[in-house]
Every structure is written in C-alpha cells, then in structure tokens.
Amino acid sequence: MIEPLPDHAMFHVLRSIAVDKGGPRVGCLTLPKRRPIDTPNYIGLTSRGVIPHMTPDVIANHTELNGSYIALEDFTERSQKRVEPAVFNIEPEGKEVLRAYTATPTPVATVLGARRHPAVIAPMGNGKDYVSVFTSTGFQQLKNKEYYRAIERLQPDIAIPLADLTFGNSHIRNKLPNSKRQLRMVERTEDWLAELIKLRNVEDSSEATKPPIFAPLLPVSYPTQWEYINRLSQDYFQHLSGLAVYDADIFPDLGGHSPLNPLPRLSMDFITSPHEILRQVRLGLDIFTVPFINTTSDAGIALTFSFPPPSPIDSGVRPLGIDMWSQDHQISLKPLVDGCECYTCTKHHRAYLQHLLNAREMLGWTLLQIHNHHTLDNFFRGIRATLAAEPSTFEHDYDVFSSTYESELPKGTGERPRARGYHFKAEGGQAKINPPAWEKYGEGGTGDPALAGEIAGLAVTGTTAEGVETPVVPDANTDAKELDKKGFAEVDR
C-alpha cells in the first residue's frame, strides 16, 4: 500500500510504503547550490572537517558522496596563543566559510553539529546553558548563543541545534540515565531550540541565507519526550527543515504527529552494520551517518555486501567484508571484490593493497576508503531501486539479506593508522590506542648485556674496547668548552 505524503519545501517524498511498524520511503533532498540527494542515502563523517584518508579531489573523482557531517568541536580549540579559532578568521571569496576552510567540494552538502559522531563522553556532562565539547586543547563549554553565532558565520547547508545528550552513542540503549536526568535532557534541548529559533528570527538577513535546521529527537522513550515532540509539530514546525534522530526506535510512535511526516529524517543513531541501516530504512529514516565505514577502512577491511543480496550459496552465510591484512592476499592478483567497478578494484589488486598496508603506506587506507564508499553507494542505490519497484521488493530482499550475510562486520587483524589524541579519550583500564614509537631493547633494557653495561657506564664496547679509540669520559661538572679542549668525540690514532 502506498501512502501519499505532502511535499516539503526542500524534501519531496516520491513514494512511501506502509509496512508493519514502519514506512520506508523514497525521496529527494534539494539544497541550494548542491547536488540533489536521492534518499535513502548517507553522508560522510569527517575528522577535523575532512573524510579520513581522502582528499577533496579523490572525493570528487572517485566517490558519489553527497554530504558530510562536520563537528564544530573540531575547530573550537582555545589557548593562550589563540583566543579565537582559526576557522573564524578567514575571508573566503564567493564561498561559505566552512566550505572554504575544509575544502569541501561544491556539490557536497555540509551538515554542522556541535559534537563529533560518535562523540567522546564528557566527564563533567552538560550544564543548564552549555554543552561540553572535546577540542584538541581539552573539554570546553559551548553555549547556545555561541553556537548560533558559529552557524551564522560558517554558513553550513544544514545545522543541527544543541541537544543535551549523554554520550557515547554505543551506550544509548543499555545505559540510559535515570528518569530525572532524561526529563532534564528534554527540557534543556527544547529550551535551546526555542532560543536558537528566536535568535534566527531576529536577524536581518534574508531567509535564503539562514541554514535549514534539523531538530534533534533524543534517545529517550517516547512518553518522556512526548510534550517536546508535540511542540515541534505544533509550535516550531514552520521553523524546521528536518529531524536529527538519535534513536530510530522512536519512529513507530510518531504517527500522531503528522506535521512532522514530510520532513527529511537524518539518522544520528549508532549504526554498526548494514543490517541496522536496513532496519532503520524500514522504520522510515531517509539519510544516514555511517560510523562503521571509516572504522572498517582503518581496520583494513574491504566491504563485500550488496543489496539486493546475491543468490544464496550452499557454503553458509557470506561475510560482510574481507580482511586485507590476511596473508592469503599476498600473491593474489584478483580485485578486492569480483565485478566491482570502483577505482581500487579496476586499477589495483589484492596483493598490492596488502603490501601497502604492511608497509604502513597511507595510500592503502585511501584505496580502501574509495572501495568501501563505492560499496555503500551501490548498497543505497539498491535500496532505492527495490523501494521504487512495482511492486516493491524491499521487504523480501530485506529478509534475504539478513539470512545471506553475517550479522557483524569482521575485525581487522593488522595495525590501524595512528590515532590522534583529540579523537579519543582514554578511560580507566583501557589499553593504549597507538603502539609506542620506540621502547627499550629487551625487557627492562637488558636484552644486550654489553649494551646495558655501556649505558650504565660499567663497560666499554665497540672499537673503543679494542684499543682503536681512547675514550674521554666527561666529569659531571665539565662544560662544553672543556670537553672540546680535551678532544671529546675525537679519535686518537
């Protein structure tokens, strides 16, 4: 059964299918000066404003990426040397500040949020009038008015207002705060949204220069935020251009808020597999942030899934990806995936990519990113095709996909690229993310007894021990001039 929906100014629902406890749909999101985004689709997740391992020209030439999520906390570091972040000090010609600063390709839409996705847990939490953000110089407070001024200055294509969230995202469903804290989350989020809308409306700039707002839906139960959602649909609807959803499971309860139905829905939920993407598509989500695509590339995994899934095989379920660190690929001249038309698979083979990973060459992770983004592009293209088919085959293909592929992505067996400190926050008992750059030779530095003796000043080794050199042992109080007079580091023959 097809349910017609009214169009929104920038989002058009082309087809909606009624299913049990869901409503997958096909649509198109149109933003000024940007490439139209056919939905369901995804946007990339950035680090310091860029997609990891890919330059703007690689994105433009070898991917079909339509948008990128950028976190303000990546640019808001403050120190004694720099009071105002550098992103606010540039004067681009003919471009938005955020786009010029990050060199985002023109067709790619920019979505601005306060925190990364997934975000690092703030030890002190959020306050009544601020959220805690994790910058390269530590945790800082970001107030709502400051955030609005940043939106106004940076001019993203879409802005997500502040939300009082208790990160990290992986704990959303099994580590919810107590009921009083949940109510406070809802109240603060609504207050911040109302203030941002008020600030937005008092500005003299035209409506065309004001970035669209995607109101956050919180990861708490529907009854807890019912009043907030009701106000969104009645009082704030005319100021909203979409919804940013932090827990997709709330969607079956939104049927009574019909004014919100035509709005595009951006999933900010914690997605760990393509199975979760399909589940959320079935619920009615339109655009997705997919954290696992960057982490799988970092782990050396080449994604292999497709939708609709291939015919079932007798050998059991298929893996969602292959580990390119495996020695099985050392002499393989096959592409990463047979039949794949991405740049990586048409220009290179498995042995070359495995060599790049073993040599810790950055190009290896770049080629994996190209392939994995291409795989995800085809995955969403297949979803749209099955939804648009007459009759739709999405439900059948969804069930077949679940039985064809493993439920979890494989774990990489090799070494990840070096992580930067401001991306992760160490917790008690957690192992170090990066291996040490150097360490003592042997346990306790005693792997070589002669070397250990020389370090301790108890032995002389090398040519000195053979009488070829006359060593000069400096006194603790000797300065550089005295050492030079005595011929320190010179060889007597």
Side-chain angles (χ1 to χ4, degrees), residues 238-479:
Q238 65 272 25
H239 305 291
L240 305 180
S241 298
L243 301 173
V245 185
Y246 289 89
D247 187 355
D249 289 339
I250 197 174
F251 258 88
D253 296 315
L254 295 185
H257 304 276
S258 56
L260 301 179
N261 288 341
L263 297 178
R265 305 154 180 175
L266 170 63
S267 173
M268 297 295 292
D269 206 339
F270 191 69
I271 296 175
T272 58
S273 72
H275 298 280
E276 179 63 17
I277 294 176
L278 291 173
R279 188 184 76 86
Q280 294 192 21
V281 167
R282 191 179 185 279
L283 289 173
L285 276 294
D286 302 303
I287 307 170
F288 298 82
T289 52
V290 186
F292 72 73
I293 189 169
N294 291 335
T295 55
T296 52
S297 296
D298 282 349
I301 302 297
L303 299 178
T304 58
F305 58 84
S306 61
F307 192 88
S311 302
I313 55 177
D314 298 332
S315 58
V317 294
R318 296 172 180 257
L320 294 170
I322 54 176
D323 180 13
M324 294 310 302
W325 286 95
S326 172
Q327 294 301 312
D328 296 340
H329 311 305
Q330 196 167 24
I331 57 173
S332 175
L333 301 183
K334 295 173 58 178
L336 275 59
V337 176
D338 290 332
C340 180
E341 298 179 354
C342 75
Y343 173 83
T344 303
C345 289
T346 56
K347 300 294 184 181
H348 304 290
H349 46 66
R350 296 186 182 188
Y352 178 62
L353 185 58
Q354 209 249 5
H355 156 72
L356 292 174
L357 293 176
N358 280 324
R360 310 297 188 271
E361 286 286 350
M362 187 175 68
L363 177 59
W365 288 290
T366 299
L367 293 177
L368 274 172
Q369 279 283 64
I370 292 173
H371 169 79
N372 288 343
H373 278 77
H374 179 82
T375 299
L376 211 56
D377 288 335
N378 287 340
F379 179 72
F380 277 99
R381 187 181 296 110
I383 293 174
R384 294 192 298 270
T386 60
L387 288 173
E390 187 61 53
S392 173
T393 60
F394 175 78
E395 282 285 282
H396 172 265
D397 293 329
Y398 174 40
D399 293 335
V400 175
F401 186 93
S402 299
S403 60
T404 301
Y405 288 103
E406 295 177 349
S407 59
E408 295 183 357
L409 290 160
K411 309 294 183 184
T413 57
E415 183 179 323
R416 273 83 169 154
R418 190 167 183 83
R420 297 177 180 177
Y422 53 76
H423 291 152
F424 304 93
K425 183 73 172 178
E427 299 175 359
Q430 178 182 343
K432 290 184 177 180
I433 297 171
N434 297 316
W438 57 273
E439 58 187 3
K440 292 181 179 180
Y441 178 75
E443 185 176 357
T446 59
D448 184 341
L451 179 60
E454 186 173 17
I455 293 173
L458 302 176
V460 178
T461 61
T463 55
T464 301
E466 300 170 3
V468 179
E469 293 183 356
T470 303
V472 177
V473 181
D475 184 79
N477 298 321
T478 305
D479 59 20

Side-chain angles (χ1 to χ4, degrees), residues 120 162 315:
V120 175
L162 295 184
S315 58

